Amino acid sequence: MSRAQVRTHLDESVDVGVKEYYFTGGEPFLNPEMVPILIDSLEYGPATVLTNGTVLKERWLEQLAAAEEASCYSLEFRISIDGFCAEQNDPIRGEGTFDRAMEGVALLNEFGFLPIVTAARSWRLEEEERVVDAFLDRLRAAGCQRPRLKILPMLRLGAEETRSSPYAASDRVTRTMLEGYDTSQFICEHSRIVSDRGVHVCPILLEMPDSLLGAKLGDADKSFALKHGACLTCYQHGAICSNPSAGYRAPSSSESTE
Ligand code: SF4
């Protein structure tokens, strides 16, 4: 989307009471207007950008650090990777992308940002402590003195459907399962995502035709049946798209990662 299109949606977001903004892609920084878009968004509220961290430039971060300094709102960076080492990440994201993402983390730290490194859990729960400790050492070596991690459950969508297995027809949230459940855990309960096609129910289902709820934010305040397999992953793991609010603690096998 262009800066002008995003500005229109930002203006509209004020009318519907939006409090926080997330920018995702693809890779948002491939949009040549991404830096001004983020600077604009800091006039409206706290902003988070989800990037692979491999294309960041010093002059962009200089401008963004200055904009955050001048704003009363914060700018967060989330660096998305697919594993806590090159051996796990690079077969999925491409040769050399893990090291380039770590360079991005180092650069963000140089400019005073504390990026949240986000990875889908591709290891067994028993291995979590060892995998995470090794990665924390790697982050500290990249200049990250206060590492922040977010570990996501694996969503069996897109390429992951082929890599692991698609959701079975029985992998669904039922009415009974929702009895007494805290539905505020679902991002679709309180958020929407805007693309160049319109307003969708959530970022997870962006490519599903039924995710499109309307052309404007004001049209998209409607309930959505949780009938996709991915909804079951949300049910099991809680608020998987929002930023973590506290430091990392290894979960027991029955806990979510939030
Ligand atoms: S995948 Fe389903 S439960 Fe999760 S946020 Fe989207 S609509 Fe809601």
Side-chain angles (χ1 to χ4, degrees):
M1 279 194 286
S2 69
R3 180 183 186 182
Q5 285 172 306
V6 175
R7 178 67 96 163
T8 303
H9 290 297
L10 286 169
D11 285 341
E12 192 200 351
S13 77
V14 175
D15 300 334
V16 294
V18 173
K19 299 279 187 297
E20 196 176 359
Y21 302 87
Y22 287 70
F23 293 87
T24 185
E27 170 48 50
F29 283 99
L30 294 182
N31 181 334
E33 295 192 297
M34 197 59 224
V35 172
I37 285 172
L38 288 172
I39 292 172
D40 288 348
S41 71
L42 286 171
E43 292 172 24
Y44 294 80
T48 298
V49 57
L50 284 66
T51 168
N52 62 29
T54 63
V55 294
L56 298 173
K57 292 188 173 30
E58 287 191 13
R59 66 186 158 80
W60 296 347
L61 297 184
E62 205 173 320
Q63 289 172 50
L64 290 170
E68 191 198 33
E69 181 72 27
S71 170
C72 53
Y73 300 115
S74 61
L75 174 62
E76 296 270 20
F77 283 82
R78 288 237 307 252
I79 303 285
S80 306
I81 53 177
D82 270 308
F84 282 165
C85 60
E87 291 69 30
Q88 284 170 346
N89 176 80
D90 289 6
I92 301 170
R93 296 230 168 201
E95 190 63 32
T97 51
F98 181 80
D99 286 342
R100 279 164 48 212
M102 292 305 100
E103 285 164 20
V105 167
L107 198 58
L108 284 164
N109 273 274
E110 262 177 51
F111 282 86
F113 294 106
L114 293 176
I116 302 164
V117 182
T118 306
R121 181 181 282 117
S122 55
W123 52 85
R124 293 199 311 274
L125 211 49
E126 309 87 86
E127 297 175 306
E128 183 119 322
E129 202 165 338
R130 179 186 59 76
V131 171
V132 170
D133 281 351
F135 185 58
L136 289 174
D137 288 344
R138 180 74 168 80
L139 283 176
R140 289 189 190 101
C144 208
Q145 290 316 306
R146 291 171 55 199
R148 300 165 78 197
L149 300 187
K150 181 173 174 71
I151 300 174
L152 297 170
M154 197 65 91
L155 284 159
R156 286 178 276 139
L157 292 173
E160 199 50 45
E161 253 181 304
T162 323
R163 264 195 297 272
S164 46
S165 60
Y167 290 101
S170 57
D171 291 337
R172 294 293 182 272
V173 177
T174 64
R175 220 176 266 277
T176 316
M177 288 161 69
L178 289 172
E179 282 169 19
Y181 184 84
D182 175 10
T183 55
S184 66
Q185 291 291 318
F186 295 123
I187 191 162
C188 54
E189 273 287 299
H190 49 75
S191 305
R192 292 290 179 257
I193 181 158
V194 181
S195 79
D196 56 0
R197 286 166 281 156
V199 185
H200 307 253
V201 66
C202 72
I204 297 165
L205 300 180
L206 196 62
E207 299 309 324
M208 304 288 177
D210 68 340
S211 78
L212 202 52
L213 300 181
K216 295 171 151 195
L217 279 167
D219 306 332
D221 183 14
K222 46 180 93 156
S223 61
F224 184 83
L226 307 184
K227 56 182 183 288
H228 290 271
C231 300
L232 182 67
T233 302
C234 289
Y235 178 89
Q236 291 167 329
H237 295 273
I240 62 179
C241 297
S242 51
N243 289 342
S245 55
Y248 175 80
R249 175 175 66 90
S252 71
S253 54
S254 62
E255 279 184 305
S256 101
T257 58
E258 295 298 318

